[in-house]
Amino acid sequence: MPKDHGIGASSKRREDVRFLTGTGNYTDDINVYGQAYVAFVRSDVAHGRIKSVDTAEAAAMPGVLRVFTGSDFEGVGSIPCGWQVTDRHGEPMKEPAHPVLAHGKVRHVGDPIAAVVAETLQEARDAAEAVMADIEELPAVVDMKAAVASSDTLVHDDIGTNLCYDWGFVEDNREAVDKAISEAAHVTTLELVNNRLVANPMEPRVAVGSYEAAGDMSTLYTTSQNPHVIRLLMGAFVLGIPEHKLRVVAPDVGGGFGTKIFHYAEEAFCTFAARALKRPVKWTSTRSEAFMSDAHGRDHVTKIELALDKDHNFTALRTETYANMGAYLSTFAPSVPTWLHGTLMAGNYKTPLIYVNVKAVFTNTVPVDAYRGAGRPEATFQLERVVDKAARELGVDPIELRRKNFITEFPYATPVAVEYDTGDYNATMDKLIEIADLANFETRRKESEGRGKLRGLGINSYIEACGIAPSNLVGQLGARAGLYESATVRVNATGSISVMTGSHSHGQGHETAFPQVVAEMLGIPEDMVEIVHGDTANTPMGMGTYGSRSLAVGGSAMVRATEKIINKAKKIAAHLLEASEADIELKDGAFSVAGTDKSVAWGDVTLAAYVPHNYPLEDIEPGLEETAFYDPSNFTYPSGAYCCEVEVDPDTGKVDVVAFAAADDFGNVVNPMIVEGQVHGGVAQGIGQALLENCAYDETGQLLSASYMDYAMPRADNVPMVTVDHSCQTPCTHNPLGVKGCGEAGAIGSPPAVINAVIDALQSGGHTHVTHIDMPATPNRVWAAMQG
Amino acid sequence: MTEVTMNVNGRKVTRSVRGNELLVEFLREQLRLTGTHVGCDTSQCGACCVHVNGELVKACTMFAAEADGAEVATIEGQANADGSLNVIQQAFQDYHGLQCGFCTPGMVMSAASLLKDNPKPTEEEIRHHLQGNICRCTGYHNIVRAIMAASGQETPAVAAE
Amino acid sequence: MYAFEIERPTSVADAVSALSADEAQPLGGGQTLIPTLKQRLAMPSKLVSLAGIEEMKYVRRDGDVLVIGGGTTHGRIAREAAEHFPGLAALAGKIGDPAVRNRGTIGGSIANNDPSACYPSAAMACGATIVTNSREIAADDYFQGMFTTALEEGEIVTEVRFPIPEKSAYMKFEQIASRFPLVGVFVAKFSDRVGVGVTGASNDGVFRWTEAEEALAGNFSADALSGVTAPPASDMIADLHGTAEYRAHLIPVMTRRGVAAAA
């Protein structure tokens, strides 16, 4: 019998009511009295020297308050990067400046050159067209290998190279890996592309800056996954505003998927301009602007080699990856191809020797940073593709090859520096075989053949790492931030509770799931607990929501704070019950004395805390409010097995995903309904990456996929119903909830399943020469592959 | 500026509009009905879907002046008279048919127009109908189920329920 | 968008008169024009909305001809043409999405002549007549290449007349993002001839694949196409979504499927 409340219940989402009635409060719904509007003048060339920017005509146009250019930001900080990677030789990465408005050069199509602030949006846009930027166009570097080889075309002249870093991991393994590969019975090699994507949350980014001169107080409303991080980065590093004079609010946010983690120039601009003009300043991105200003994702080019012995044990793995940074280092960009990618290259397998080389490259393209999965999809895709290719080369069953090499004993320290605490990869594979009905696949294949279609089956395993931690370790790895999370549990006098969390919900359902945890711990109804988030003014310093960390880290902070509440409430109850604190038990919302029928209700204890008439004032303070900061001791390691079935139209190359199943191990699950929704959405994004989505530049750096006319987003008829299962649960051993995180799994586990299925379909259809197709496997690409 | 009069969610409104003022701008900025969203500029995402004279339209691809004299229905007018969620809205909540909520008003308006013409749509018909409404969060799985449920049909079985 | 005024005439005559103003531009359903205006790619002084002209909204059968008012929406054509000309109704029902079909009009589509528009393939295959406020133009003469038609400044498509074929089908192979046809083929079988109109594929816009028409005229079956060579790739569009060779390959594939599906 499923639970109907508390941990494990599919409680309906309370936030849905406002979203379903059109009464949500997204950033673009916020208008501050007297606000002016910004229109950015953006570069239409990928690379060029700014010779002059003539703003006179624009400044004289109706309604224009001021036209800003890069020179207005001299003395203002650079948009900071939050992670410093150290290269193979012990040198820090190259870290070029990133001005709020371009200065000296433009470095990608969309790079902001000037900004017009006017009374109306129409006036701002009209005047933006009148800004005359004289730009001497320079050759652009777009291809990563060409960029590294180039010494005369540099994205950043001052750093003398387009190579941001050359990272080796684990450098000490390098020779042993080379030797193992040279001596292997079999080596499978694959060169592949992990296609550049645009996250495309449906809500475009918005920033509203305002300034109250009397109190010297700035406020920024922004579409962010982590308002405290924005306050820190923008306040401390760009604009020089101390935290107590800067409030950042991220209200309802319409999806993030990583791309709303980062601190963007437009946020700093609106905050800066509001101070300069003493007027609120609003910017709302158009979708076209989003394509050339939101950080992109993925964009790796990889060569991977897997060595096997004669018994098909994996003996070594070597990868060489070029990772596109784009024109500037976005907030967490350097960490994605390194610590979020190299550390995952063991996957689910006990490969003893691994060496990962990553060359991060500057190009004249939009900056690239974390997008749902961030490094882990790139790792999983290459690994699960090369394992599949190895199985085909060796003529063995791809599931059996995986099982043979699965890690089965935990904890397991990988050769790439992480320690998996728990997992059961055979269990999720067994569950997958069951829920995907693999036993009857051949029957389905024949049925497809009868309709002239090639049916393919793709299987893969995945492991990911969530809740990146602990802070002291990630600090050694180059992080310039802590990776804890915070929670304040404020129990009100009548027993209702407000939980202030540094996590941020932009679709994940925190307002519903978090109360399930607190209410269960206290034995009170969920509707007595309210979640407060998204405003630096009323939440403790927290790091926000990304990397599937909210429940594992933010939830754990909430548990710790609630434990403190319980401890204090027990003291109060002991006083009220005239009993020893050690004898007090909390159950079903009441405190009782063990072994007696004496009890006091939750509400009586909370009231006593705030009306402390009968209260041990000499021993404890009045009030009932506790804060906890939780810093995990390790990552969590969700894992699972995915299966995709496709049908390929042999005449056109069109691929239809006809079935998809996901067997995940997320550890304990708080709200199964929400967890399943996360997997559905992640899988759809993974199918999108595999078959549809392609952010493409031409050789001059022009963005070819600059709108939904050319960037294919999964629509309702592109994806099937997804069969999901999360009954295999090996709880995390080091957080109090035993949870692992579920937000990214779908996007990590699904691309290789889709491509493995496409290859299987083509091979079974006689196209045995097709051993790989790069994503997205568009009809044209699949057809071309079939032609040989 | 042109003066327009329309009936929005049962309320008659008269306002001056610019020639290039889109219906969605009129709704959001002049009437403060901010439930209708703008997610793209190429008429594809469907976050701005409303009903004009009973027909589903994209409010970002129609001028306010063109709606002069029209009946306009937006998400804000969809709940039951007592304020409770209507059958489609309730199904979206029951079946977790929304996550971030940004596409949701358009999805609900689109679903309503489908069910008006086709009270018992198949899964395929629902998916076909939704091709002008992009959701980035849900993978559509639970949106399709919600619409099936709202039409009084069995929802496709899903494992682990 | 740049600033402009908008006018809403209720008759063709008033619309023509309004369009005589400098830099005035007709606005059909706006499903293509409004996104274009948002990108500031057009700068009209005045838009003349044709949406209020009731006399341009109809679908009626006149003997063996289906007559459609230029202001009729795709959605209405999908519903009302189904009984008389299912191939055309199916074409209309696959344009864009339901909301787009409730606004976009056949006149607007025909007047714009986007190389990936659907209707031009049917108009060419059927030998339709494009009727404007001032004249009648045969489809073969009307479509003159990408975004180019025989229309004069200020001329409005008031009606399109489609000879109704015995059998027809439209096969659209969609570009995965926009869902416009990467290649769209309309096959129309009449008692005395077969028409094959191809959209989406060619650098010259919609065209008739006359070799296929001839082969199918004697034998209306997919097999009849086996000896017919595909139109040359050198004429085809190449872009992010498909090479010229791929588009050329798809034309016979879609034509064969159209023949097989024709009803």
Side-chain angles (χ1 to χ4, degrees):
Chain A
M1 197 47 199
K3 290 179 71 173
D4 64 359
H5 69 278
I7 292 171
S10 286
S11 297
K12 288 179 196 172
R13 297 202 329 167
R14 54 179 78 176
E15 47 269 80
D16 289 358
V17 176
R18 67 177 188 273
F19 298 142
L20 283 162
T21 53
T23 52
N25 186 36
Y26 298 91
T27 310
D28 195 40
D29 302 341
I30 292 171
N31 293 299
V32 181
Y33 183 76
Q35 76 192 10
Y37 296 82
V38 190
F40 287 97
V41 179
R42 295 183 183 276
S43 177
D44 57 7
V45 300
H47 193 195
R49 201 169 306 286
I50 302 171
K51 296 171 78 177
S52 65
V53 183
D54 182 353
T55 61
E57 185 187 338
M61 287 178 66
V64 174
L65 297 168
R66 187 167 157 188
V67 184
F68 294 81
T69 66
S71 59
D72 290 300
F73 287 83
E74 282 174 22
V76 172
S78 170
I79 306 283
C81 178
W83 201 299
Q84 184 183 61
V85 166
T86 301
D87 77 5
R88 286 175 52 201
H89 313 293
E91 296 295 316
M93 68 184 189
K94 298 288 189 296
E95 193 169 357
H98 183 184
V100 174
L101 294 177
H103 199 59
K105 288 216 300 189
V106 289
R107 295 185 175 87
H108 66 86
V109 168
D111 207 358
I113 302 164
V116 177
V117 182
E119 295 287 350
T120 70
L121 184 56
Q122 174 88 39
E123 288 166 340
R125 286 182 178 163
D126 286 346
E129 278 200 345
V131 172
M132 296 299 163
D134 183 7
I135 292 175
E136 176 197 353
E137 191 169 354
L138 300 169
V141 284
V142 177
D143 177 78
M144 286 190 276
K145 290 178 185 173
V148 171
S150 173
S151 56
D152 50 352
T153 302
L154 297 175
V155 180
H156 297 276
D157 304 299
D158 54 336
I159 59 176
T161 174
N162 289 320
L163 184 66
C164 177
Y165 56 74
D166 181 0
W167 185 74
F169 187 64
V170 175
E171 195 62 27
D172 291 347
N173 289 350
R174 186 185 178 105
E175 283 179 19
V177 169
D178 290 349
K179 181 164 181 286
I181 287 176
S182 68
E183 292 170 355
H186 184 88
V187 178
T188 296
T189 303
L190 184 58
E191 295 189 40
L192 51 81
V193 172
N194 203 291
N195 42 326
R196 179 183 279 240
L197 303 176
V198 184
N200 272 307
M202 293 319 298
E203 178 204 33
R205 288 188 297 118
V206 182
V208 186
S210 74
Y211 180 61
E212 182 223 323
D216 188 29
M217 185 73 196
S218 291
T219 302
L220 172 69
Y221 299 91
T222 184
T223 45
S224 176
Q225 300 175 214
N226 31 238
H228 282 283
V229 174
I230 302 304
R231 184 176 69 166
L232 179 63
L233 293 175
M234 183 176 79
F237 296 97
V238 186
L239 300 180
I241 307 172
E243 287 96 327
H244 68 300
K245 294 296 182 186
L246 177 59
R247 175 184 171 203
V248 177
V249 185
D252 286 331
V253 172
F257 314 113
T259 205
K260 291 176 182 168
I261 297 171
F262 322 121
H263 175 43
Y264 286 98
E266 294 87 355
E267 295 172 318
F269 177 81
C270 289
T271 308
F272 179 87
R275 291 168 71 94
L277 296 168
K278 307 220 171 6
R279 286 277 299 272
V281 171
K282 180 172 189 172
W283 171 71
T284 302
S285 176
T286 64
R287 182 59 62 186
S288 300
E289 238 178 332
F291 272 99
M292 55 179 152
S293 66
D294 289 4
H296 294 170
R298 315 282 194 259
D299 203 351
H300 288 191
V301 175
T302 292
K303 178 183 181 187
I304 181 168
E305 296 159 284
L306 174 66
L308 301 92
D309 68 15
K310 63 179 178 20
D311 299 321
H312 303 161
N313 296 303
F314 302 164
T315 57
L317 184 77
R318 180 168 64 196
T319 74
E320 182 185 22
T321 289
Y322 287 80
N324 208 331
M325 296 287 102
Y328 302 99
L329 289 179
S330 176
T331 308
F332 289 114
S335 68
V336 174
T338 51
W339 301 106
L340 295 175
H341 162 252
T343 49
L344 272 295
M345 284 314 305
N348 307 61
Y349 311 111
K350 49 193 180 201
T351 314
L353 286 165
I354 298 175
Y355 180 73
V356 178
N357 175 243
V358 178
K359 295 176 178 70
V361 184
F362 293 111
T363 61
N364 291 114
T365 62
V366 169
V368 181
D369 205 329
Y371 162 62
R372 200 172 196 167
R376 292 151 288 167
E378 295 90 325
T380 304
F381 184 71
Q382 39 179 300
L383 186 57
E384 292 299 319
R385 281 291 301 124
V386 81
V387 169
D388 223 65
K389 187 164 183 256
R392 288 193 179 279
E393 289 174 355
L394 297 168
V396 297
D397 181 88
I399 294 177
E400 290 314 311
L401 182 62
R402 286 178 169 87
R403 287 194 194 272
K404 184 174 188 63
N405 288 280
F406 273 164
I407 296 160
T408 53
E409 288 175 19
F410 296 88
Y412 178 83
T414 73
V416 276
V418 290
E419 183 174 287
Y420 302 161
D421 57 347
T422 55
D424 187 343
Y425 309 143
N426 278 305
T428 48
M429 186 61 83
D430 291 344
K431 179 56 75 173
L432 180 75
I433 289 168
E434 173 199 330
I435 64 173
D437 186 26
L438 291 197
N440 290 304
F441 173 72
E442 285 304 325
T443 310
R444 295 194 292 277
R445 173 175 268 170
K446 286 202 172 55
E447 191 272 332
S448 297
E449 281 170 4
R451 286 183 287 105
K453 298 287 178 68
L454 306 176
R455 194 173 186 115
L457 173 69
I459 298 279
N460 68 276
S461 304
Y462 80 90
I463 181 160
E464 59 152 327
C466 300
I468 179 170
S471 291
N472 51 5
L473 173 65
V474 296
Q476 289 169 26
L477 305 183
R480 291 164 169 165
L483 284 158
Y484 52 85
E485 195 46 86
S486 63
T488 296
V489 175
R490 176 179 296 161
V491 182
N492 303 306
T494 63
S496 68
I497 294 173
S498 303
V499 179
M500 280 63 82
T501 171
S503 297
H504 185 277
S505 186
H506 32 278
Q508 296 88 342
H510 296 175
E511 292 169 37
T512 302
F514 285 4
Q516 290 179 246
V517 174
V518 175
E520 168 118 355
M521 290 178 72
L522 298 173
I524 60 174
E526 287 164 29
D527 63 8
M528 287 177 67
V529 184
E530 195 72 17
I531 301 300
V532 177
H533 68 97
D535 187 343
T536 58
N538 58 18
T539 56
M541 172 73 181
M543 300 310 292
T545 288
Y546 41 82
S548 307
R549 71 193 297 272
S550 291
L551 193 60
V553 189
S556 296
M558 217 168 47
V559 169
R560 291 284 186 251
T562 306
E563 286 169 354
K564 292 186 191 179
I565 291 288
I566 292 170
N567 286 341
K568 183 170 178 184
K570 280 185 174 174
K571 288 189 172 69
I572 302 169
H575 176 86
L576 295 175
L577 292 166
E578 296 175 339
S580 160
E581 187 194 329
D583 294 334
I584 301 295
E585 294 175 344
L586 170 61
K587 191 161 183 278
D588 295 334
F591 296 90
S592 57
V593 182
T596 75
D597 58 358
K598 287 168 66 180
S599 77
V600 59
W602 168 251
D604 292 329
V605 172
T606 63
L607 189 66
Y610 288 95
V611 187
H613 296 168
N614 176 17
Y615 195 87
L617 285 168
E618 59 283 5
D619 295 329
I620 49 176
E621 296 168 9
L624 199 49
E625 173 168 326
E626 298 288 352
T627 294
F629 286 75
Y630 179 81
D631 205 289
S633 59
N634 191 356
F635 290 85
T636 65
Y637 299 96
S639 62
Y642 282 19
C643 165
C644 178
E645 291 184 30
V646 300
E647 282 186 347
V648 178
D649 180 338
D651 294 332
T652 65
K654 184 170 187 293
V655 178
D656 288 320
V657 177
V658 293
F660 202 101
D664 293 293
D665 174 1
F666 296 134
N668 294 334
V669 165
V670 169
N671 185 317
M673 176 190 81
I674 289 174
V675 166
E676 288 160 18
Q678 290 292 312
V679 177
H680 299 151
V683 166
Q685 289 186 8
I687 292 173
Q689 168 163 30
L691 297 179
L692 300 168
E693 299 181 37
N694 187 23
C695 180
Y697 283 90
D698 72 9
E699 64 280 4
T700 70
Q702 286 297 321
L703 180 58
L704 299 176
S705 48
S707 79
Y708 292 149
M709 296 295 282
D710 289 300
Y711 188 90
M713 295 277 282
R715 305 202 195 189
D717 54 4
N718 290 124
V719 287
M721 288 294 185
V722 177
T723 304
V724 296
D725 181 278
H726 44 77
S727 63
C728 300
Q729 298 182 348
T730 61
C732 171
T733 56
H734 56 79
N735 68 45
L737 289 165
V739 297
K740 294 185 171 184
C742 65
E744 297 164 293
I748 293 167
S750 53
V754 178
I755 298 299
N756 288 347
V758 172
I759 300 302
D760 184 55
L762 297 186
Q763 295 240 345
S764 74
H767 302 283
T768 48
H769 65 283
V770 184
T771 57
H772 180 68
I773 294 177
D774 272 326
M775 301 187 291
T778 60
N780 195 159
R781 284 186 181 174
V782 175
W783 174 78
M786 284 191 285
Q787 307 315 300
Chain B
M1 300 290 273
T2 319
E3 188 169 278
V4 297
T5 297
M6 56 186 104
N7 186 313
V8 180
N9 298 332
R11 187 167 68 99
K12 187 178 159 188
V13 295
T14 300
R15 296 283 193 284
S16 287
V17 299
R18 306 184 313 273
N20 67 358
E21 186 165 330
L22 296 165
L23 179 58
V24 69
E25 294 170 333
F26 174 78
L27 294 169
R28 288 181 58 81
E29 291 161 23
Q30 296 224 35
L31 303 187
R32 300 295 301 142
L33 294 172
T34 55
T36 302
H37 297 149
V38 178
C40 77
D41 41 22
T42 50
S43 197
Q44 275 156 322
C45 80
C48 64
C49 280
V50 299
H51 298 171
V52 174
N53 293 328
E55 288 196 322
L56 184 71
V57 304
K58 292 183 169 173
C60 78
T61 316
M62 176 175 181
F63 293 108
E66 295 183 283
D68 187 26
E71 301 260 337
V72 177
T74 73
I75 189 67
E76 287 89 348
Q78 295 299 297
N80 295 324
D82 65 358
S84 60
L85 300 179
N86 77 13
V87 65
I88 296 171
Q89 293 167 316
Q90 188 59 57
F92 269 70
Q93 186 187 30
D94 291 346
Y95 289 85
H96 191 29
L98 65 153
Q99 290 180 25
C100 83
F102 195 80
C103 77
T104 306
M107 284 288 175
V108 170
M109 298 310 287
S110 187
S113 84
L114 170 66
L115 297 185
K116 184 166 70 103
D117 296 335
N118 183 357
K120 301 277 180 207
T122 63
E123 180 189 332
E124 191 182 350
E125 287 170 338
I126 293 169
R127 290 183 184 276
H128 180 70
H129 179 85
L130 293 180
Q131 60 180 255
N133 292 86
I134 301 177
C135 170
R136 192 55 155 167
C137 294
T138 64
Y140 305 97
H141 183 111
N142 283 338
I143 291 175
V144 174
R145 291 176 70 223
I147 296 173
M148 298 210 85
S151 64
Q153 304 184 80
E154 294 280 318
T155 58
V158 179
E161 281 192 331
Chain C
M1 277 182 278
Y2 296 107
F4 49 77
E5 286 307 308
I6 192 159
E7 198 162 326
R8 300 182 72 211
T10 53
S11 71
V12 172
D14 287 350
V16 170
S17 150
L19 283 168
S20 66
D22 260 0
E23 302 295 330
Q25 198 172 338
L27 171 68
Q31 303 304 289
T32 303
L33 180 55
I34 293 176
T36 307
L37 291 166
K38 288 181 189 173
Q39 292 178 67
R40 295 189 168 222
L41 296 175
M43 199 171 174
S45 66
K46 178 163 79 175
L47 283 188
V48 179
S49 167
L50 308 179
I53 306 175
E54 292 303 318
E55 62 181 299
M56 278 190 4
K57 298 177 183 175
Y58 50 85
V59 177
R60 67 166 187 264
R61 185 172 186 144
D62 187 357
D64 289 337
V65 178
L66 194 71
V67 185
I68 303 176
T72 313
T73 61
H74 315 320
R76 183 162 169 187
I77 294 169
R79 289 189 298 273
E80 298 184 13
E83 177 190 343
H84 312 291
F85 189 169
L88 186 69
L91 175 151
K94 288 179 197 147
I95 297 173
D97 58 60
V100 166
R101 293 194 287 275
N102 285 338
R103 291 293 299 169
T105 64
I106 186 170
S109 170
I110 295 268
N112 190 43
N113 193 22
D114 187 296
S116 303
C118 293
Y119 289 117
S121 66
M124 292 287 274
C126 295
T129 302
I130 317 301
V131 182
T132 75
N133 53 297
S134 57
R135 57 188 169 138
E136 297 180 5
I137 311 167
D140 282 339
D141 301 327
Y142 174 88
F143 298 104
Q144 300 183 346
M146 277 193 188
F147 298 108
T148 311
T149 70
L151 287 179
E152 304 285 345
E153 196 88 342
E155 195 173 5
I156 299 171
V157 175
T158 55
E159 186 176 280
V160 186
R161 297 180 191 153
F162 289 93
I164 300 174
E166 290 174 355
K167 285 179 171 184
S168 66
Y170 179 60
M171 285 294 143
K172 175 162 85 163
F173 192 83
E174 291 176 345
Q175 191 257 54
I176 57 176
S178 69
R179 304 217 166 176
F180 279 54
L182 196 71
V183 169
V185 177
F186 197 93
V187 177
K189 180 191 182 303
F190 294 88
S191 59
D192 57 343
R193 66 188 175 86
V194 171
V196 178
V198 181
T199 189
S202 170
N203 279 315
D204 297 326
V206 65
F207 69 96
R208 281 173 55 199
W209 186 18
T210 49
E211 292 84 349
E213 291 180 347
E214 284 159 19
L216 291 166
N219 172 16
F220 190 71
S221 75
D223 293 342
L225 291 165
S226 47
V228 183
T229 44
S234 56
D235 293 344
M236 298 301 148
I237 297 168
D239 62 15
L240 178 61
H241 305 286
T243 59
E245 292 71 25
Y246 184 56
R247 281 182 166 87
H249 162 78
L250 286 175
I251 293 169
V253 172
M254 291 297 117
T255 306
R256 275 198 297 277
R257 291 182 180 185
V259 170

